[in-house]
Amino acid sequence: MNISTLNEDVLKRLSTMLDNATCGWRQLANAVSEQPKLCCSERELTACSLQVLSAAGSPGRTLLAWLADRSCSLDFLLHCLRKIDHQEAVQYLTSIAELIQITVQPQSQPTTVGGRVVLTCRASGPPGLGYQWFRGKDEILDGTGCTQELILCPLAQVHQGHYICRVNHGENVVFSQWAQVRCILSPGCSSSLFPGSVSGLRITHQPQSQAVSEGDTLFLECNAEANPPPKYEWYHNTVPMEQQKTRTLKMPCVTTANRGQYRCKVFNLYHEALSSTATVTIGPSSITEATWVEVDRGRDSQEVHRSGAGIYPLQQMGKPSPSVKRFYATDKVALLIGNMNYVYHTQLSAPIADVHELTNLLRQMNFKVVSLLDLNWQEMHSAVTEFLLLLDKGVYGLLYFAGHGYENFGNSFMVPIDAPTSYTSEHCVCVQKILTRMQQKETGLNVFLLDMCRKRNPNDDIIVQPGLLKVTANIVFGYATCVDAEAYEVKRKNVSNGIFISFLKQRVSEDEKVTVMLDRVAEDMGHCRITKGRQALELRSNLSERRCLTDQIQSSDCSASQSVRNLQWAVAHDLPKSRYLQFDCGVKVQLGFAAEFSNIMVIYTRILEQPEEIVSCSAQLTDFPADVDIDLKQSNQETLLEAGSFMLIEESLPSPEAPSLYTRVRSLQRLRVGLTFTICLHYTYSNMDDEVQERQPVTIGKPLVSKLNLHEPRPPCTSSSSSFSLDSFNLTECSSLTEAFASVGSSNAWTCYAQTGTQSSITDSCPSISGANVPEESDTSDFLDAPRPLVTSKSLPLGQVNETNYKFSDMYNFHSH
């Protein structure tokens, strides 16, 4: 049994026992860490501690919720409670475990004579549960009455009646609910409950089997003639549909959960009959009327090419094929979001590597990329709004999300890190709503890559209406997994990868139509043993042109809208300049900055000069504001790896005479004011044993994405943001952007484009597309004596994806999103 099977009263009682300092939740958290998947981070333990600040908060209840999300079993919880010698909790939980709880109740079901009825009763409790079945007061003593399932076949009139199951373990006994079995004649005929009656019942219209797509409306009809007038009751997979009591069954926005077999029971005072079975299949929904997939049929004299416009003949054999038409983008922008450190849900490992690798690959194709990790609800909404500002007519827009997600009624939802345990669409971000807003920008290509689960969310019964989509024929969805399925990640030593990205990164840079490239990714995944039966890429598209992610950017002139996009992108990637600090003791310290992601920055300190009488010296950073996320155990480390930065690599390590200390600053999007901290210089003189300290405060402003103030709400359903909007500029004059640039409050934003040390003015000609991809290090060539800068790795050294990369060693290597 999983902890999640315990009811709320039991969990509250347990959490009360665990809310103490001597033998409580902290000791339990240490005990469960012997299983790696249940190990809690320092951040999670701190979040548990902060629960005491709330009147109704409980650290123990929060810990139990995390353990339940990570599929901790009741047996292992008991083992850990015994390990910490919590006798009260062990005794209480043992008594609960010995209770019998019915988990599956037998269901009433009408069935035709000669058919087959299976009544199922399942229970949880101690090992060796016994099952007894009764019809009324009479026990069923044959072999079928001693198991969890009672099978009645072939069904006869003698089998009619009420059935109940008795579950026992020693003296403990629990009874299931009653289930009624009723015999009904074949479809179209009637069974008279009162022989000799002159009334009758005849089904005149049977429900028909059909195939519909997700999001469509399911319509079934059953009609009958009877005296007295008939009543109707619909069944889905033999289960009564309580709300369907009319001759027509109408269900809007169906999902895969609605597929199966449907029958209608028609009855009146004297007669009843079952309709024939209608089988309903639910296929993937289409954004418009067609799904677009390219198929290579080879050369044939009568070869045809199918497209949304119809069927037309291609060239005859022997004639040269026409040259492939090339398409161009006016610009290419991408928003990449990876959510890992969820507050109330299972922690993920792969999004950091997946976002980083895809960022580098897209930048090589001249995409302007904004990459963000661990966003809450407000930050995700604000980031999308800022992303929409980068879009315009002819622009290629790409959105990638890795994290928890779900799909209801044909709509996909991305889950923020602060989503509550029982989240609904109100707590998440709807992908289809983003698509609706993107279409308003008249983009040349809209690509959505969703690396998340697509299971249905049982807590959410809200049908979201994202708005009417235009027929733009430029949309491509690449889902990491199929409908009603999960997406997985594979754990490695220091870095994990999602299954989807492991294969996508091998193909994404190919000069092929997006759908063709994703089709090949799907084939690669299908050839790998480890993905079969677990995860398969699903492609949805209505792309009518041969648009490729590798298409060149072509802009005839410097439009104001393009300048705004360049400025908006530059602001989100502006790093502080390197600084050189002189201390009273004669030590000179260099302070440098490197971007790991758009909201994660690495700060390093280097001792450049020190007097001969100082034998040891180090410059450490401290006193960071509470807005940003700093792991104190990993700050001021000698290597990037020790500082928690797996994505940055050092192209040239500093010499031993100039050691560096690294500190990783996360969650820059939550920074409300300029970032301030203190450099504490520790040094020792040759003739002194005591260490001396000097401190200097440093203010570096708002680096990277913090300038966009993603923590602030945006106006709903508009293209404006807190920073600036296309609508606020005169689109005929590039020079009018100078004022807008001044309002950003950054005097050096455009130095990001200064690849050769020469800064570009906002009123200069448009920066080149390749120049828009800024270096990841803030050092410039002005300081010739400075060590070589840090750069991001273009691809993690994980090797090619093949059969030998993945093994079936342990299933815990797989973690569903």
Side-chain angles (χ1 to χ4, degrees):
M1 293 175 58
N2 189 289
I3 295 179
S4 58
T5 61
L6 300 176
N7 61 45
E8 188 61 30
D9 291 337
V10 173
L11 291 172
K12 285 182 178 179
R13 178 88 177 270
L14 271 177
S15 61
T16 302
M17 299 176 185
L18 293 172
D19 287 341
N20 64 82
T22 56
C23 183
W25 65 272
R26 282 190 179 275
Q27 290 74 22
L28 178 60
N30 290 331
V32 299
S33 63
E34 67 180 66
Q35 284 194 8
K37 70 173 184 177
L38 302 178
C39 184
C40 294
S41 65
E42 287 296 327
R43 183 177 181 179
E44 290 171 330
L45 295 177
T46 302
C48 285
S49 301
L50 294 177
Q51 295 296 319
V52 299
L53 301 178
S54 173
S58 167
R61 182 66 183 88
T62 303
L63 176 63
L64 290 174
W66 281 335
L67 295 179
D69 284 341
R70 297 170 190 182
S71 302
C72 177
S73 67
L74 201 54
D75 287 340
F76 185 70
L77 179 61
L78 270 170
H79 162 72
C80 294
L81 289 172
R82 292 190 183 100
K83 186 177 179 180
I84 66 175
D85 199 24
H86 199 310
Q87 297 296 334
E88 182 185 10
V90 169
Q91 184 177 0
Y92 175 68
L93 200 56
T94 302
S95 65
I96 293 299
E98 292 177 352
L99 294 179
I100 302 172
Q101 295 181 337
I102 303 291
T103 57
V104 178
Q105 297 280 1
Q107 300 294 323
S108 299
Q109 45 188 293
T111 308
T112 57
V113 175
R116 184 173 185 267
V117 169
V118 178
L119 298 177
T120 303
C121 177
R122 291 194 176 93
S124 61
L129 294 178
Y131 295 83
Q132 294 172 279
W133 287 91
F134 296 83
R135 182 171 63 247
K137 295 182 179 180
D138 301 325
E139 183 179 0
I140 300 174
L141 298 176
D142 58 19
T144 62
C146 303
T147 61
Q148 295 178 343
E149 292 184 343
L150 176 63
I151 302 175
L152 305 175
C153 181
L155 189 69
Q157 294 288 344
V158 70
H159 292 133
Q160 289 193 117
H162 290 80
Y163 291 77
I164 196 171
C165 184
R166 178 180 184 266
V167 186
N168 62 82
H169 184 268
E171 297 181 354
N172 295 332
V173 175
V174 174
F175 284 91
S176 71
Q177 67 184 18
W178 288 97
Q180 184 182 15
V181 175
R182 304 176 68 180
C183 294
I184 300 176
L185 295 180
S186 301
C189 301
S190 62
S191 59
S192 178
L193 302 181
F194 297 89
S197 170
V198 296
S199 62
L201 184 150
R202 183 172 65 91
I203 296 179
T204 58
H205 183 83
Q206 300 282 356
Q208 302 297 312
S209 298
Q210 55 185 283
V212 295
S213 298
E214 287 183 282
D216 291 348
T217 298
L218 173 63
F219 185 83
L220 296 173
E221 183 178 5
C222 179
N223 206 1
E225 296 177 351
N227 182 22
K231 296 182 179 179
Y232 300 86
E233 184 175 296
W234 288 89
Y235 288 80
H236 176 217
N237 295 332
T238 72
V239 178
M241 304 176 70
E242 299 297 334
Q243 305 300 322
Q244 304 295 337
K245 303 290 187 181
T246 63
R247 67 182 183 87
T248 58
L249 171 65
K250 186 176 182 180
M251 299 177 62
C253 294
V254 295
T255 67
T256 52
N258 302 122
R259 60 189 168 198
Q261 296 183 332
Y262 289 81
R263 300 187 81 175
C264 182
K265 184 180 78 171
V266 186
F267 61 96
N268 60 16
L269 184 60
Y270 306 110
H271 304 275
E272 61 182 15
L274 274 180
S275 72
S276 59
T277 300
T279 302
V280 175
T281 58
I282 310 292
S285 64
S286 55
I287 301 172
T288 58
E289 270 69 33
T291 298
W292 300 76
V293 181
E294 284 196 354
V295 180
D296 184 6
R297 295 171 179 258
R299 296 198 174 195
D300 188 277
S301 57
Q302 298 297 325
E303 183 183 30
V304 295
H305 177 78
R306 299 182 180 271
S307 74
I311 303 177
Y312 54 91
L314 289 183
Q315 70 278 4
Q316 298 293 327
M317 182 180 294
K319 293 184 179 180
S321 59
S323 59
V324 178
K325 179 182 178 182
R326 296 298 306 191
F327 291 91
Y328 297 90
T330 58
D331 209 345
K332 297 196 288 188
V333 297
L335 172 63
L336 278 55
I337 300 175
N339 283 347
M340 302 169 54
N341 297 304
Y342 283 85
V343 180
Y344 305 107
H345 302 282
T346 306
Q347 308 297 292
L348 303 177
S349 303
I352 182 172
D354 293 345
V355 169
H356 184 266
E357 292 195 59
L358 188 57
T359 295
N360 289 321
L361 290 168
L362 291 174
R363 283 180 176 172
Q364 293 173 29
M365 293 182 281
N366 291 325
F367 272 85
K368 295 180 175 71
V369 184
V370 176
S371 57
L372 302 168
L373 292 187
D374 291 332
L375 302 186
N376 60 33
W377 182 88
Q378 180 58 66
E379 292 159 0
M380 287 185 71
H381 277 266
S382 299
V384 168
T385 300
E386 296 293 334
F387 172 62
L388 292 172
L389 284 176
L390 300 176
L391 303 180
D392 199 8
K393 186 174 182 179
V395 173
Y396 286 12
L398 184 146
L399 185 145
Y400 170 79
F401 173 75
H404 286 303
Y406 70 96
E407 185 168 311
N408 274 17
F409 306 108
N411 291 323
S412 303
F413 296 90
M414 304 180 291
V415 181
I417 62 169
D418 62 342
T421 304
S422 299
Y423 54 78
T424 65
S425 58
E426 295 179 350
H427 309 106
C428 304
V429 179
C430 179
V431 175
Q432 280 69 23
K433 285 188 175 181
I434 300 175
L435 175 60
T436 303
R437 297 172 66 185
M438 287 178 71
Q439 287 188 324
Q440 297 172 359
K441 301 286 188 174
E442 300 182 7
T443 45
L445 177 65
N446 295 326
V447 178
F448 291 79
L449 302 176
L450 300 178
D451 198 352
M452 65 185 196
C453 291
R454 297 175 66 194
K455 300 285 287 185
R456 175 167 169 75
N457 182 1
N459 301 314
D460 187 8
D461 56 359
I462 302 172
I463 301 177
V464 176
Q465 300 293 342
L468 186 63
L469 293 177
K470 300 178 181 179
V471 182
T472 54
N474 66 350
I475 304 165
V476 177
F477 274 93
Y479 291 95
T481 190
C482 300
V483 178
D484 270 349
E486 296 177 322
Y488 293 90
E489 56 187 35
V490 179
K491 296 191 71 173
R492 298 176 187 263
K493 282 187 178 180
N494 294 325
V495 179
S496 298
N497 264 128
I499 293 287
F500 178 40
I501 289 295
S502 295
F503 290 93
L504 178 68
K505 66 184 181 182
Q506 310 298 328
R507 298 280 190 182
V508 71
S509 300
E510 292 180 353
D511 188 23
E512 294 285 358
K513 184 178 177 182
V514 181
T515 51
V516 175
M517 179 270 293
L518 290 174
D519 258 341
R520 291 176 179 173
V521 174
E523 291 176 5
D524 294 341
M525 290 177 65
H527 294 155
C528 184
R529 242 184 350 161
I530 205 168
T531 59
K532 288 184 179 178
R534 292 184 177 89
Q535 184 174 342
L537 173 66
E538 182 175 322
L539 173 63
R540 301 185 188 177
S541 171
N542 66 0
L543 184 61
S544 60
E545 298 173 331
R546 191 186 181 278
R547 299 276 181 175
C548 312
L549 296 181
T550 55
D551 287 343
Q552 297 299 310
I553 297 174
Q554 189 175 81
S555 183
S556 58
D557 55 3
C558 180
S559 65
S561 58
Q562 182 183 359
S563 296
V564 172
R565 285 194 301 274
N566 290 335
L567 175 59
Q568 184 78 339
W569 187 87
V571 165
H573 292 80
D574 180 30
L575 279 167
K577 291 182 178 180
S578 290
R579 300 195 178 191
Y580 295 85
L581 305 174
Q582 192 70 44
F583 287 83
D584 293 340
C585 62
V587 172
K588 184 179 181 180
V589 176
Q590 179 194 8
L591 184 66
F593 309 89
E596 187 174 350
F597 295 91
S598 299
N599 63 337
I600 297 180
M601 178 176 65
V602 173
I603 308 176
Y604 60 89
T605 57
R606 294 169 178 164
I607 306 298
L608 299 181
E609 297 177 4
Q610 68 181 64
E612 294 182 358
E613 60 269 20
I614 293 180
V615 293
S616 65
C617 184
S618 67
Q620 300 184 1
L621 308 183
T622 186
D623 300 336
F624 284 93
D627 290 345
V628 295
D629 187 4
I630 303 288
D631 189 339
L632 297 180
K633 292 183 178 180
Q634 293 182 317
S635 61
N636 300 300
Q637 298 297 315
E638 294 182 356
T639 67
L640 285 167
L641 195 62
E642 291 174 333
S645 177
F646 300 102
M647 301 299 108
L648 290 175
I649 62 173
E650 294 174 273
E651 198 172 58
S652 176
L653 290 174
S655 60
E657 292 78 19
S660 298
L661 296 181
Y662 302 95
T663 299
R664 189 167 179 256
V665 185
R666 298 170 294 187
S667 303
L668 289 173
Q669 75 277 6
R670 293 175 196 149
L671 192 63
R672 297 178 180 271
V673 295
L675 181 60
T676 59
F677 52 89
T678 301
I679 297 185
C680 185
L681 185 68
H682 302 259
Y683 58 93
T684 305
Y685 286 103
S686 58
N687 57 352
M688 296 177 59
D689 294 332
D690 295 336
E691 184 180 78
V692 184
Q693 292 186 12
E694 282 189 47
R695 301 167 66 90
Q696 281 196 35
V698 177
T699 301
I700 62 172
K702 301 183 75 173
L704 300 176
V705 79
S706 62
K707 289 188 179 68
L708 299 182
N709 297 320
L710 298 185
H711 57 271
E712 296 180 352
R714 264 54 173 177
C717 300
T718 65
S719 60
S720 60
S721 75
S722 61
S723 48
F724 42 76
S725 167
L726 291 177
D727 300 331
S728 63
F729 301 113
N730 181 351
L731 296 182
T732 61
E733 295 184 88
C734 294
S735 60
S736 63
L737 294 172
T738 308
E739 296 178 4
F741 174 68
S743 67
V744 176
S746 171
S747 60
N748 63 340
W750 280 94
T751 60
C752 297
Y753 294 106
Q755 299 284 336
T756 60
T758 305
Q759 297 187 9
S760 301
S761 170
I762 189 76
T763 56
D764 291 343
S765 61
C766 287
S768 65
I769 298 302
S770 59
N773 291 326
V774 301
E776 297 294 335
E777 157 74 50
S778 62
D779 292 341
T780 66
S781 57
D782 297 337
F783 305 99
L784 300 178
D785 57 343
R788 297 178 67 182
L790 298 171
V791 296
T792 56
S793 60
K794 293 187 177 181
S795 181
L796 295 177
L798 299 179
Q800 299 293 319
V801 175
N802 53 46
E803 294 294 328
T804 60
N805 288 105
Y806 301 119
K807 298 179 180 179
F808 288 100
S809 54
D810 293 303
M811 282 307 296
Y812 66 78
N813 284 339
F814 289 83
H815 297 277
S816 64
H817 288 179

